[in-house]
Amino acid sequence: MSRRTLALAAAGVALVLPVTACTSTKPAESGAADGGGASVDPAAPAATSVTVPGKASKNYSIQFIQGVAGDEFYISMQCGIEAEAAKLGVTVNTQGPQKFDPTLQRPIVDSVRANKPDAVLIAPTDVTAMQSPLEAVAQGGSKVVLVDTTTEDPSYAASAIASDNIGGGKAAFEAIKQLNPDGGKVMIMSTDPGISTTDARAKGFEDAVKADSKFQYVGIQYSHNDPATAANLMTSSLQKDADLVGVFAANLFAAEGTATGVRQANKGAQVKIVGFDAGPGQVKALRDGTVNALVAQQPATIGQYGVDMAVAALDGGQVTPKVQTGFTVITKENLDTPEGQAAVYKSSC
């Protein structure tokens, strides 16, 4: 693989990523808000780190509601949450729906609201459907910290922490571009519309494709967070566009299913896949050569910062309302380096 560098813009800052080296990227920092009354302004610039509070003034009860149970991304986030909770002296309980679905997540949120925990860390499964339930949680007296995903108006939340998803989408295109320097047709395999993170990744990728005349964007498919559906959609896409050269798979399950569909079509030599996230299944696909690169998030850091901001909000400390974490581009060449291994998601804490 060529060692040409990948140039991308994230949050207005030019970043240079060598695809064959693990590189963490972060956007520009902004100031933090003081005190527990801070709230999230979607238009405000994001910081890249937080002020870590001291030990909590009491053993606060914190509820972590995952986007979906059993997903290595959220398991890795849970590990970061639990480690930080132990340091700060607070108690965390974790639960999540069996699918990334607001109709399954909302009853969990409603039940948690009734129990009135001191704080709720949550990855909302829909920008619209989870707006009202989370506003109700905040109105009930619990501090809300958004981790990974958000809602249409997150002003009820004390803090929102997520990856630089637009930058990650651009990085995914640059990886495909390097693997296909002559250009060609590319597409996105995503989960569902209306999810803030994957929508942002798609936008970053689409904008980058449209800025390069060598590439033709043939659209986005939605797999509903199901690998089998993604595999079937990939098979259909290759029947329609037999000359497809690249696919950006916007989350873990989309990447797993895309790799299966490409393999079943015997198109592995032609279609280059760049996945978002780095679960064990995706790492195996990277080792096998089915997937060519992975854009790994930092879920443990997101979880750590989530606990920090919950405790700061509860104790009247320094709250950073909006935080963006970076990502790491992993390839087969750097997978077994210490940094590459550190970026791989966990299946248990």
Side-chain angles (χ1 to χ4, degrees):
M1 184 180 294
S2 167
R3 294 188 64 91
R4 289 171 51 214
T5 58
L6 299 183
L8 65 147
V13 179
L15 305 172
V16 179
L17 296 182
V19 166
T20 52
C22 286
T23 306
S24 295
T25 64
K26 294 182 178 181
E29 292 204 22
S30 71
D34 199 21
S39 63
V40 177
D41 177 1
T48 59
S49 63
V50 303
T51 299
V52 179
K55 195 172 182 68
S57 63
K58 60 177 285 189
N59 183 10
Y60 292 117
S61 63
I62 298 178
Q63 178 70 50
F64 172 40
I65 303 176
Q66 301 163 309
V68 58
D71 184 323
E72 289 91 355
F73 174 82
Y74 291 112
I75 293 172
S76 299
M77 188 183 295
Q78 180 183 351
C79 295
I81 287 171
E82 291 178 350
E84 193 71 356
K87 289 180 183 178
L88 300 186
V90 297
T91 299
V92 174
N93 293 308
T94 299
Q95 59 182 313
Q98 293 304 305
K99 291 184 178 181
F100 198 92
D101 184 337
T103 64
L104 299 179
Q105 191 182 48
R106 178 163 186 166
I108 296 173
V109 171
D110 291 342
S111 175
V112 165
R113 176 172 59 85
N115 291 329
K116 296 185 181 296
D118 295 305
V120 174
L121 274 58
I122 182 169
T125 51
D126 188 271
V127 294
T128 302
M130 297 310 299
Q131 178 74 35
S132 178
L134 291 176
E135 286 178 342
V137 170
Q139 290 165 2
S142 300
K143 299 293 184 183
V144 177
V145 176
L146 304 175
V147 286
D148 181 39
T149 48
T150 188
T151 58
E152 289 177 336
D153 177 8
S155 59
Y156 57 83
S159 182
I161 303 147
S163 302
D164 173 21
N165 287 287
I166 289 179
K170 291 178 180 179
F173 171 70
E174 293 296 337
I176 287 177
K177 180 178 178 179
Q178 183 165 311
L179 294 163
N180 297 282
D182 294 330
K185 294 180 180 179
V186 295
M187 64 168 283
I188 300 172
M189 183 68 71
S190 191
T191 172
D192 284 298
I195 299 170
S196 61
T197 50
T198 49
D199 285 352
R201 294 167 202 165
K203 175 174 172 50
F205 185 86
E206 290 170 357
D207 289 349
V209 175
K210 291 172 183 177
D212 192 319
S213 60
K214 287 185 177 181
F215 287 85
Q216 179 184 350
Y217 177 58
V218 299
I220 185 169
Q221 297 283 348
Y222 293 105
S223 65
H224 312 302
N225 221 37
D226 178 47
T229 300
N232 291 334
L233 289 170
M234 195 68 247
T235 299
S236 299
S237 295
L238 286 169
Q239 291 173 348
K240 179 183 176 183
D241 293 293
D243 53 346
L244 194 74
V245 302
V247 182
F248 170 39
N251 79 339
L252 187 149
F253 293 132
E256 289 182 5
T258 296
T260 298
V262 169
R263 183 173 62 252
Q264 290 174 344
N266 295 316
K267 294 278 190 176
Q270 170 188 314
V271 181
K272 307 304 181 185
I273 303 171
V274 175
F276 208 98
D277 289 324
Q282 289 167 286
V283 170
K284 182 180 185 301
L286 182 64
R287 288 192 186 280
D288 295 343
T290 309
V291 171
N292 304 96
L294 300 174
V295 181
Q297 301 181 76
Q298 298 172 346
T301 301
I302 294 172
Q304 173 193 331
Y305 287 175
V307 174
D308 290 338
M309 293 302 91
V311 170
L314 289 165
D315 276 347
Q318 189 173 16
V319 177
T320 306
K322 188 176 179 182
V323 188
Q324 279 190 339
T325 58
F327 50 86
T328 303
V329 178
I330 310 175
T331 65
K332 194 172 183 179
E333 288 81 0
N334 60 42
L335 174 59
D336 290 319
T337 66
E339 191 176 0
Q341 283 298 296
V344 173
Y345 300 171
K346 296 179 180 180
S347 55
S348 63
C349 297

